[in-house]
Amino acid sequence: MSLEKKVIFSPEAPKGRGPFPQAIKYNNQLFISGQGPLDPISSVPVIGTFESEVHLTIQNIKKIVAAVNGDLNDALKLTVYLTDLTNIHKFNEIYTQYFSEPYPARTLVQAGLRGIQIEIDAIFICRE
């Protein structure tokens, strides 16, 4: 088992908009930086309905996890940031389309996000 941090990059997911990687792999864990509804090619926010932003955010996470041959079932912990907590029921409906039992541990908080309605950071187990 390697004790080195390794930067993980998926060309199919947004690069991000700051000085941070999409994810860091350390031992058998994958730490994914905050992901939002960004276009995978231009990394520009795709502003839409709350539902469309949730779907795009989770799809971006899925692409990063796939870069280490993982899938969403490998999720251990998610931190979900919403601009409006009244959307929690809509979020949960979409969330259960992507994640199944046993669900990962999760924290959900209201946050002031700039121009987007959702951001998620996550920890996944790495099998490779």
Side-chain angles (χ1 to χ4, degrees):
M1 178 180 340
S2 171
L3 295 179
E4 290 184 26
K5 293 190 307 183
K6 179 180 176 186
V7 172
I8 301 301
F9 176 75
S10 168
E12 296 182 15
K15 181 181 176 194
R17 300 176 66 194
F20 53 86
Q22 291 172 335
I24 292 287
K25 180 181 174 188
Y26 183 76
N27 293 338
N28 66 339
Q29 293 183 320
L30 182 68
F31 298 85
I32 298 180
S33 296
Q35 299 297 310
L38 303 182
D39 178 83
I41 296 170
S42 68
S43 295
V44 172
V46 179
I47 307 306
T49 64
F50 175 76
E51 293 87 350
S52 68
E53 289 190 25
V54 173
H55 282 288
L56 183 54
T57 299
I58 295 173
Q59 290 165 8
N60 286 337
I61 291 170
K62 185 176 180 178
K63 291 172 183 173
I64 295 168
V65 173
V68 293
N69 297 317
D71 62 43
L72 294 178
N73 290 323
D74 297 325
L76 297 173
K77 170 79 166 75
L78 279 74
T79 304
V80 180
Y81 306 90
L82 300 179
T83 58
D84 184 352
L85 287 182
T86 63
N87 285 323
I88 191 168
H89 298 295
K90 292 178 190 176
F91 175 78
N92 283 335
E93 285 178 22
I94 297 167
Y95 176 82
T96 58
Q97 294 172 28
Y98 291 95
F99 297 93
S100 56
E101 293 186 27
Y103 295 110
R106 186 180 93 183
T107 301
L108 195 142
V109 296
Q110 186 164 338
L113 303 172
R114 294 185 338 175
I116 58 175
Q117 300 179 70
I118 184 168
E119 184 172 313
I120 300 174
D121 64 55
I123 302 171
F124 281 75
I125 192 160
C126 282
R127 300 190 186 279
E128 70 171 31

